[in-house]
Amino acid sequence: MTKAIRITETGAPEVMEYVEVDLPAPGAGEVLVRQMACGLNFIDVYFRTGLYPQPLPGALGMEGAGVIEAVGANVTHVKVGDRVAYAGRPLGAYAEARVMPADILVKLPDSISFETAAAMMLQGLTVQYLFRRTFRLQGGETILFHAAAGGVGLIACQWARALGVTMIGTVGSDEKAELAKANGCVHTINYNKENFVERVKEITGGKGVPVVYDSIGKDTFIGSLDCLSPLGMMVSFGSASGPVPPFGLNELATRGSLFVTRPSLFNYTAKRDDLETMAAELFGMVESGKIKIDINQRYALKDVAQAHRDLESRKTTGSSILIP
Ligand SMILES: NC(=O)c1ccc[n+]([C@@H]2O[C@H](COP(=O)([O-])OP(=O)(O)OC[C@H]3O[C@@H](n4cnc5c(N)ncnc54)[C@H](OP(=O)(O)O)[C@@H]3O)[C@@H](O)[C@H]2O)c1
């Protein structure tokens, strides 16, 4: 048996229960991981509320780091005693220990702690694909990135600085603006006080930006389109304020033949080779000191409801982890 979080219905943070669950021996292709830290991500909120459906009763959490305690048949790339980390399906990372498919695990370099790994796998791999694959930044661009002081946001600030990209970041408070700036964001806009479209036009001398990375969704989507220069790319990768309402394709034509994509990390990591390349690049950025993972909130796993409340009420900055 082990302790884990389970839900029998979707809803408010209180639906998450800290319970004893079975811990079977790993089957073919599976391993048993003793988790030292679990990641907290906004996608966990979407699964808890039911915005992203899953069969119930269900588990939650998509990110963790720990040590392999047992290995099933046909597992070749990891062995008992390896330090590993992951971000992806199946749900169930909110647990002291879990049996899971081995194919989403990557080995952790000794220089990267379990806590750092649990804080960065999902958010860091996301910035990797957003900046290196979805819209490949070359250096020299000016970009707009929403929620710049969040978990994904603070990693994006530092990665943009490392690439020589001028990042304009939106934030919900003056304190968050300071934090984003300290991490490499060149211009900040407090979208609770300022009109971000006007400010982006001002900063870019009326030209707009070639790409917007928008994880806010409903509240910012149309404004983000207005920030793009012709042929610009709208990367809508999350919906912290709610899903983007349906819109007419002509909105893209009238603003200058824009492109829109709605990417998900798990499509980008689906091939093992891609996962390994992406993880190696992320680990390299952290080992070189170009990116430091700010773990600004730590919670005991059993206090996960409070962690969700803080994340949803915009109280957190940087990354958060849960300690089993
Ligand atoms: N598609 C993908 O592959 C992928 C992967 C990872 C994450 N994501 C998305 O990226 C976003 C950031 O994820 P994260 O885990 O790093 O979270 P986070 O940025 O640490 O937290 C979300 C932030 O969004 C901002 N926000 C704006 N409106 C909000 C609202 N109505 N309710 C709550 N927050 C609001 C808040 O910052 P301010 O106070 O500064 O506004 C808040 O701190 C999420 O939308 C997530 O779903 C997508």
Side-chain angles (χ1 to χ4, degrees):
M1 301 291 280
T2 191
K3 291 277 195 185
I5 300 294
R6 292 288 183 267
I7 57 171
T8 52
E9 55 177 334
T10 54
E14 295 70 39
V15 299
M16 294 184 287
E17 293 177 74
Y18 184 61
V19 292
E20 290 247 306
V21 297
D22 276 342
L23 196 61
E30 290 182 333
V31 294
L32 191 165
V33 179
R34 175 74 43 194
Q35 303 209 115
M36 302 301 165
C38 323
L40 177 75
N41 293 285
F42 219 90
I43 193 170
D44 306 344
V45 173
Y46 306 146
F47 278 109
R48 193 205 73 221
T49 58
L51 177 66
Y52 291 179
Q54 67 152 320
L56 294 173
L60 286 178
M62 303 192 86
E63 179 180 39
V67 177
I68 297 197
E69 264 189 14
V71 173
N74 308 328
V75 174
T76 50
H77 73 290
V78 286
K79 59 180 188 317
V80 170
D82 279 351
R83 302 172 72 251
V84 292
Y86 63 89
R89 284 176 180 273
L91 301 183
Y94 289 180
E96 279 178 357
R98 68 181 298 204
V99 171
M100 62 182 296
D103 59 3
I104 65 163
L105 295 175
V106 292
K107 278 197 219 176
L108 269 186
D110 290 342
S111 60
I112 296 184
S113 71
F114 292 119
E115 292 202 350
T116 296
M120 78 174 184
M121 285 298 288
L122 200 146
Q123 295 166 350
L125 291 175
T126 297
V127 178
Q128 193 283 339
Y129 86 77
L130 292 175
F131 282 6
R132 309 307 283 155
R133 291 176 71 194
T134 307
F135 185 97
R136 192 173 170 87
L137 297 170
Q138 310 290 339
E141 300 91 343
T142 298
I143 66 169
L144 175 62
F145 200 105
H146 288 295
V152 176
L154 285 189
I155 298 173
C157 292
Q158 299 174 74
W159 209 311
R161 174 169 61 190
L163 290 170
V165 166
T166 301
M167 179 161 142
I168 305 171
T170 58
V171 288
S173 71
D174 295 345
E175 296 72 36
K176 289 187 180 184
E178 287 310 311
L179 189 59
K181 278 202 173 125
N183 280 273
C185 189
V186 178
H187 305 277
T188 54
I189 303 171
N190 181 340
Y191 45 17
N192 291 334
K193 285 190 191 162
E194 301 170 280
N195 178 320
F196 75 85
V197 180
E198 283 170 13
R199 287 276 288 118
V200 167
K201 288 281 156 65
E202 231 173 77
I203 293 165
T204 59
K207 285 207 303 253
V209 292
V211 59
V212 178
Y213 298 98
D214 185 336
S215 65
I216 307 296
K218 179 173 70 63
D219 290 353
T220 50
F221 184 82
I222 293 293
S224 294
L225 295 182
D226 288 331
C227 293
L228 285 164
S229 48
L231 274 63
M233 169 76 88
M234 169 68 175
V235 182
S236 174
F237 71 102
S239 29
S241 69
V244 174
F247 67 99
L249 279 181
N250 263 346
E251 303 284 345
L252 307 180
T254 53
R255 288 171 174 82
S257 305
L258 304 179
F259 296 83
V260 176
T261 181
R262 178 43 177 107
S264 162
L265 170 65
F266 311 117
N267 298 123
Y268 283 82
T269 54
K271 290 190 191 135
R272 182 77 208 174
D273 280 358
D274 288 337
L275 170 62
E276 281 179 9
T277 307
M278 293 165 72
E281 193 176 344
L282 173 62
F283 293 163
M285 293 296 281
V286 172
E287 286 180 310
S288 70
K290 288 181 182 155
I291 291 180
K292 181 179 164 294
I293 304 300
D294 286 307
I295 305 174
N296 292 346
Q297 298 75 216
R298 283 180 171 77
Y299 304 87
L301 177 59
K302 66 176 172 43
D303 297 330
V304 65
Q306 188 57 44
H308 275 226
R309 277 183 216 109
D310 290 350
L311 184 62
E312 284 175 277
S313 60
R314 306 164 78 160
K315 283 197 186 128
T316 64
T317 58
S319 303
S320 309
I321 54 171
L322 306 168
I323 305 296

